[in-house]
Amino acid sequence: MAIGITKRPKDVRQEVAAPLHHQVYVVLRQQIVDGDYPAGKALPSEHKLEDLFNVSRITVRRALDRLAAEGLIVRRHGKGNFAQPVITPPPIDTSLRGMLENLLAMGLKTRVDLIEFDYVPATAEIAARLELEPGAIVQRAVRVRRHEDTPFSFLTTYVPEAVGRHYGADQLLERPLLSLFEKAGVTVARADQTITAKLADTRVAPLLDVDIGAALLGIRRIVRDENGTPIEFLEALYRPDIYEYQMSMTRKGKKQEFIWSDTGSTNQ
């Protein structure tokens, strides 16, 4: 939920590594994207923004300059700063109720760039995820997936060597990984995943076209075959402005209890 500009936001934090003007920029950008400032609506004056964020005039102007450079505002001399229409690619819509099938469909609708592809010894953590001996050889692939030419995900996959040898780097560029599993005769049955928040580091930020330190949606997923054997461990980072996790919930239990159960989830 966006911070209402009519209320004073918390002062930008001096101890945070991100520059003050970047912190102001991030808040204002999110408010514009969320529609708090529809196209044509004026932002508060520079003086008002100084007071709202408890920062200097130069800090405010640097944040506004960046918004203007990105086309999110137009600066009119003597009149102020006005929000501009936000143009974003259509969201990616994938229901988790049929997660594996929908992930396959998503792969067919997007384009992938292969950054790295190799066979490496599994670290202790990767070996544990794939239920292998530490040091066992695994296929490691790093990909960036795009939707309408906009990068939205940074994917690192680890696959047991016995499975990975059924396909090569060229095939990863042409077909989704789940499709390659099926072609190799591996029946994909289920997946378990966790979702958290991550920050874009110096490597990921330029590949996803976001700022260093930008918030990302982090997903870890273990895919298993029909025997319950892990066949893939995925670490994924998604841009939250393009990819969202939604959940529908219903109340269950006794009347005096407040227990929520998910009835279906959606990635967008």
Side-chain angles (χ1 to χ4, degrees):
M1 181 175 64
I3 301 173
I5 198 65
T6 54
K7 299 179 182 179
R8 181 188 180 95
K10 293 182 179 179
D11 297 345
V12 291
R13 297 173 58 190
Q14 303 287 337
E15 72 274 16
V16 173
L20 297 181
H21 65 85
H22 176 74
Q23 297 179 52
V24 175
Y25 154 81
V26 167
V27 173
L28 291 177
R29 184 185 188 283
Q30 189 63 59
Q31 291 175 333
I32 293 171
V33 169
D34 286 346
D36 292 353
Y37 295 105
K41 183 175 180 179
L43 272 66
S45 67
E46 292 184 2
H47 178 72
K48 180 65 174 177
L49 290 173
E50 286 180 63
D51 180 61
L52 285 169
F53 289 98
N54 193 28
V55 295
S56 67
R57 179 67 62 87
I58 187 63
T59 295
V60 168
R61 286 180 175 173
R62 290 185 66 180
L64 294 173
D65 285 344
R66 186 167 174 186
L67 292 171
E70 294 183 4
L72 291 171
I73 65 171
V74 61
R75 312 194 74 175
R76 297 174 184 168
H77 183 69
K79 294 185 178 180
N81 303 288
F82 297 82
Q84 294 297 289
V86 178
I87 302 175
T88 58
I92 296 167
D93 189 356
T94 305
S95 172
L96 285 183
R97 282 167 289 185
M99 185 177 68
L100 298 179
E101 294 84 354
N102 286 306
L103 287 173
L104 177 59
M106 184 177 72
L108 296 174
K109 296 176 183 177
T110 57
R111 179 172 66 86
V112 66
D113 297 327
L114 186 60
I115 309 301
E116 295 180 20
F117 181 87
D118 202 358
Y119 285 87
V120 298
T123 64
E125 179 186 3
I126 300 303
R129 300 279 184 177
L130 292 175
E131 298 179 10
L132 301 171
E133 292 294 326
I137 299 300
V138 296
Q139 179 199 92
R140 179 177 182 271
V142 179
R143 295 167 292 158
V144 171
R145 194 168 287 282
R146 296 174 177 272
H147 179 54
E148 296 198 351
D149 206 36
T150 299
F152 75 91
S153 67
F154 179 89
L155 312 169
T156 304
T157 55
Y158 300 89
V159 174
E161 182 180 21
V163 177
R165 293 295 182 184
H166 285 90
Y167 58 89
D170 291 344
Q171 291 171 291
L172 262 182
L173 289 170
E174 299 171 354
R175 302 184 63 175
L177 188 52
L178 295 179
S179 175
L180 294 176
F181 289 158
E182 299 289 353
K183 184 179 179 182
V186 177
T187 301
V188 178
R190 66 183 180 90
D192 301 302
Q193 72 176 13
T194 59
I195 301 175
T196 187
K198 295 285 187 179
L199 299 179
D201 60 21
T202 54
R203 184 191 184 203
V204 172
L207 290 172
L208 289 183
D209 195 22
V210 298
D211 294 313
I212 295 173
L216 300 174
L217 187 68
I219 292 179
R220 285 188 165 191
R221 180 183 301 131
I222 298 176
V223 178
R224 299 177 183 271
D225 65 14
E226 57 187 346
N227 297 318
T229 302
I231 57 174
E232 177 197 1
F233 174 53
L234 165 72
E235 293 182 305
L237 296 172
Y238 292 88
R239 283 177 48 170
D241 58 330
I242 300 177
Y243 189 94
E244 296 180 347
Y245 181 85
Q246 297 180 353
M247 179 181 291
S248 298
M249 305 182 75
T250 57
R251 182 180 175 184
K252 291 189 176 182
K254 300 178 181 179
K255 288 187 176 181
Q256 64 269 28
E257 296 176 337
F258 289 89
I259 300 175
W260 295 98
S261 176
D262 66 298
T263 57
S265 306
T266 300
N267 288 333
Q268 292 187 335

